[in-house]
């Protein structure tokens, strides 16, 4: 006799089928995780169903990638798109996966591609700057010891991204360098949306990188933003003359055709002594600390792909979260 063994993804599907079409309880999912699971090149997908004190595990076929809590148990809220629950961050805690265990999340190389999709409810963009990624910045300004790779960040006003979604890609790991090798004080390679990241409401945030261009999406929508060199504080020749065909790099999409940094312990042992970047959620190592810009809010879903998704696929992922229903449930 054959028995059917239900995977976590199958169990979530059963939950969705069993949920009534109206009057959803607080801990019933609003969305459809199968859409995320069926999207090609999925590396990891966390739905944050676990209780406080437990590792948060991916339900994607590639592996569980268990994210460990930092600074104590992180509460689980009884609302979320895919599991009916979400991670509740307070700006003093975050999740991490050690660099040595990142596996296929360690997306790097001159031709690497990556996409990230998140369903979040952000509080206070002055404090909350990080969604997730492999992004270790080192000690601060002019420090080149960082091992940055890719990250979905928010509110970076230095180069024209105040309160906006600003996905970053680094080919150097440390500070950005012009074509002649001269250095910026920081990493300057990021796209920036026209619109700000919504606060105090559920939304979806996403970005793609196809090896040349970074594109940022809010609530499933890509909106082109052209460079205004003076207003965007990007009047350096790196931004205005070192893009395709000697033209500007743009803002959204943003041209970054140099691939993603790959940490090599033999090559970088002296220049980058802290080693490769961990995969972190809700915080990153910046200016010598993980907590200076750690995020406050709820995370209901997070997915990473090792391919640049299309506009249509990002729209489908957004629809799968059903954030409108989630926001209605969140109203007092």
């Amino acid at each position: 006799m054959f028995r059917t063994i239900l995977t976590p993804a199958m169990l979530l599907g059963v939950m969705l089928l069993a949920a009534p079409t109206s009057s959803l309880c607080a801990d019933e999912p609003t969305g459809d995780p199968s859409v995320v699971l069926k999207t090609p090149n999925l590396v990891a997908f966390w739905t944050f169903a676990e209780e406080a004190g437990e590792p948060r595990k991916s339900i994607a076929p590639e592996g569980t990638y268990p994210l460990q809590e930092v600074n104590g148990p992180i509460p689980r809220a009884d609302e979320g798109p895919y599991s009916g629950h979400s991670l509740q961050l307070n700006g003093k805690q975050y999740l991490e996966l050690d660099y040595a265990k990142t596996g296929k999340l360690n997306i790097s190389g001159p031709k690497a591609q990556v996409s990230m999709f998140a369903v979040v409810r952000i509080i206070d963009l002055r404090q909350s700057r990080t969604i997730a990624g492999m992004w270790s910045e080192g000690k601060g300004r002019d420090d080149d010891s960082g091992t940055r790779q890719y990250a979905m960040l928010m509110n970076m006003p230095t180069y024209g991204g105040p309160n906006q979604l600003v996905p970053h890609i680094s080919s150097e790991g440390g500070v950005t360098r012009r074509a002649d090798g001269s250095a910026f004080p920081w990493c300057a390679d990021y796209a920036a949306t026209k619109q700000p990241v919504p606060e105090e409401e559920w939304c979806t945030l996403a970005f793609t990188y196809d090896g040349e261009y970074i594109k940022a999406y809010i609530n499933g929508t890509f909106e082109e933003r052209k460079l205004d060199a003076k207003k965007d504080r990007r009047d350096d020749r790196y931004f205005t003359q070192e893009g395709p065909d000697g033209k500007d790099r743009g803002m959204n999409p943003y041209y970054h055709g140099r691939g993603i940094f790959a940490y090599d312990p033999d090559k970088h042992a002296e220049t980058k002594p802290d080693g490769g970047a961990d995969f972190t959620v809700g915080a990153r190592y910046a200016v010598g600390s993980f907590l200076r810009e750690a995020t406050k809010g709820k995370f209901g879903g997070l997915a990473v792909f090792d391919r640049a998704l299309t506009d249509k696929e990002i729209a489908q992922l957004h629809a799968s979260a059903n954030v409108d229903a989630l926001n209605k449930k969140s109203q007092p």
Side-chain angles (χ1 to χ4, degrees):
M1 179 179 293
F2 294 97
R3 293 190 301 165
T4 299
I5 300 175
L6 295 178
T7 66
M10 293 169 67
L11 286 170
L12 281 169
V14 171
M15 290 169 60
L16 286 168
L17 289 172
T21 57
S22 61
S23 301
L24 286 171
C25 297
D27 59 352
E28 289 178 337
T30 60
D32 182 0
S34 71
V35 176
V36 184
L37 290 165
K38 292 176 182 177
T39 303
N41 293 82
L42 177 66
V43 175
F45 176 34
W46 297 272
T47 63
F48 305 110
E50 298 85 356
E51 294 182 357
E54 297 181 3
R56 272 56 173 194
K57 295 182 179 181
S58 165
I59 65 170
E62 291 290 346
T64 59
Y65 295 106
L67 301 171
Q68 304 295 328
E69 298 168 321
V70 179
N71 295 333
I74 300 176
R76 181 183 73 173
D78 289 333
E79 58 177 320
Y82 300 121
S83 66
H85 300 287
S86 53
L87 183 77
Q88 188 162 325
L89 294 172
N90 61 7
K92 299 178 181 179
Q93 298 170 293
Y94 60 97
L95 298 176
E96 70 174 1
L97 180 66
D98 185 83
Y99 175 80
K101 299 178 181 179
T102 51
K104 290 189 175 182
L105 286 170
N106 188 1
I107 299 168
S108 60
K111 297 186 181 300
Q113 299 187 12
V114 64
S115 298
M116 187 179 292
F117 171 76
V119 189
V120 294
R121 187 178 188 274
I122 300 300
I123 298 172
D124 188 9
L125 282 171
R126 291 173 299 177
Q127 161 77 25
S128 303
R129 304 292 185 93
T130 306
I131 300 298
M134 295 185 68
W135 199 260
S136 180
E137 297 186 7
K139 304 298 189 294
R141 184 185 178 93
D142 297 316
D143 178 61
D144 204 30
S145 68
T147 50
R148 302 166 173 91
Q149 291 181 219
Y150 64 92
M152 181 146 51
L153 305 179
M154 304 171 289
N155 189 18
M156 298 288 163
T158 304
Y159 302 110
N163 296 320
Q164 292 144 356
L165 183 63
V166 287
H168 284 53
I169 296 289
S170 175
S171 59
E172 297 93 348
V175 299
T176 292
R177 294 185 178 273
R178 302 174 184 87
D180 64 4
S182 58
F184 279 81
W186 311 97
C187 175
D189 290 310
Y190 55 86
T193 55
K194 276 189 175 181
Q195 302 301 321
V197 173
E199 292 183 88
E200 301 282 1
E201 66 179 67
W202 284 99
C203 67
T204 69
L205 306 175
F207 83 88
T208 66
Y209 175 62
D210 64 3
E212 290 191 337
Y213 288 93
I214 311 170
K215 295 176 70 175
Y217 302 74
I218 294 179
N219 283 327
T221 299
F222 168 77
E223 187 175 6
E224 183 178 4
R225 176 180 171 186
K226 294 184 178 181
L227 176 67
D228 183 330
K230 184 176 182 180
K231 181 180 178 181
D232 296 330
R233 305 169 77 176
R234 297 192 185 199
D235 54 1
D236 188 277
R237 68 180 185 276
Y238 177 76
F239 299 114
T240 61
Q241 301 175 30
E242 295 186 10
D245 301 319
K247 298 179 181 179
D248 70 76
R249 294 177 178 272
M251 288 293 282
N252 194 27
Y254 173 82
Y255 179 75
H256 178 74
R258 304 194 304 279
I260 302 177
F261 172 75
Y263 174 74
D264 183 334
D266 294 327
K267 181 179 179 180
H268 300 120
E270 293 186 8
T271 58
K272 301 180 184 299
D274 292 335
D278 300 336
F279 184 88
T280 56
V281 176
R284 73 193 190 285
Y285 188 66
V287 198
S289 171
F290 275 100
L291 298 181
R292 182 172 177 174
E293 295 176 344
T295 295
K296 300 177 183 178
K298 296 176 181 178
F299 283 46
L302 177 66
V304 179
F305 305 82
D306 60 6
R307 171 178 66 88
L309 302 187
T310 65
D311 289 356
K312 181 179 178 180
E313 288 173 318
I314 296 293
Q316 290 171 336
L317 293 180
H318 167 71
S320 78
N322 197 3
V323 292
D324 289 341
L326 198 53
N327 279 317
K328 287 180 181 179
K329 288 176 59 177
S330 299
Q331 292 176 356

